[in-house]
Amino acid sequence: MRKWIPDQHGAWAMLAVPFLAGTFLAPRPGWAHAVLFAAWLLGYAAVFHAQQWLRLRTRGLRSARRHARPAVVFGAAFAAAGVPLAVLHPWLVAAALLAAPFVAVNTYYARRGRERALVNGLAAVVPACGMLMVAAGLGGLGPAGSWEPAAACLLYFAGTVPYVKTMIRERNSRAYRVGSVAYHALALVAAACLSPWLALPFTAYLTRAATLPGRALRVPVVGAIELACASSLLLTLLLAY
């Protein structure tokens, strides 16, 4: 069962932080949020294994079979959790349909074996950050009160895509470094316009994007830094909104 857990470690913060922010910013968090969170994680795991099955099957590799059972089991568990919730809250179906095009983009890149592509990473960020508005809506907070924290999440997590590349796969690319720093500078301005509180963590994000690439940090250290950054974003959102 341990091998069934998706190994995309950087995805877990992106799945959790916007959802938790939306849940605790809402005036009425409740049991439905726990069910929705379970469905959210199960759905992610099901899609991950289905995409890996498609990627390997397209290449005629027998190893694709190891992803078939997890995809079915997680998919069934997702349905068991999500369908009753959607019956009680039909608007969740519309929210899922809005996420579908981004999942389709991720599936396209998975089929081509290009999951690390910049566009693929950015496409994954959008529905994850949109879950803040979904969780907030489930707790009685409408779009007028949730779009700003969702935008802040989008600014941060979109920035992690090029930044992490400068630390690992594109560590020798000057273009990626310049692009990452430029993005973070613009994100700082945009975040400060959303809330002065957000200027604090986004200044730290810009600093790490400008100073850490080239320092040959180990992957676990890079991950720990991003976990701290994501946690600081969650805390700031709860304080600011």
Side-chain angles (χ1 to χ4, degrees), residues 33-56:
H33 284 94
V35 178
L36 181 60
F37 192 49
W40 175 229
L41 296 182
L42 290 167
Y44 164 72
V47 170
F48 170 83
H49 283 289
Q51 290 174 345
Q52 293 306 305
W53 175 86
L54 179 62
R55 177 177 66 86
L56 296 171

Side-chain angles (χ1 to χ4, degrees), residues 201-221:
F202 275 84
T203 298
Y205 306 153
L206 172 59
T207 301
R208 67 99 157 79
T211 61
L212 294 186
R215 294 182 179 271
L217 298 179
R218 293 182 301 165
V219 172
V221 175

Side-chain angles (χ1 to χ4, degrees), residues 73-92:
V73 172
F74 282 129
F78 163 75
V83 169
L85 198 60
V87 171
L88 294 175
H89 305 278
W91 63 269
L92 290 173

Side-chain angles (χ1 to χ4, degrees), residues 48 50-61 103-120:
F48 170 83
Q51 290 174 345
Q52 293 306 305
W53 175 86
L54 179 62
R55 177 177 66 86
L56 296 171
R57 181 65 179 271
T58 300
R59 286 154 182 75
L61 300 177
V103 177
V105 170
N106 294 150
T107 302
Y108 168 79
Y109 277 97
R111 185 176 184 276
R112 294 174 61 88
R114 297 182 58 202
E115 294 98 328
R116 304 296 182 182
L118 181 63
V119 172
N120 187 55

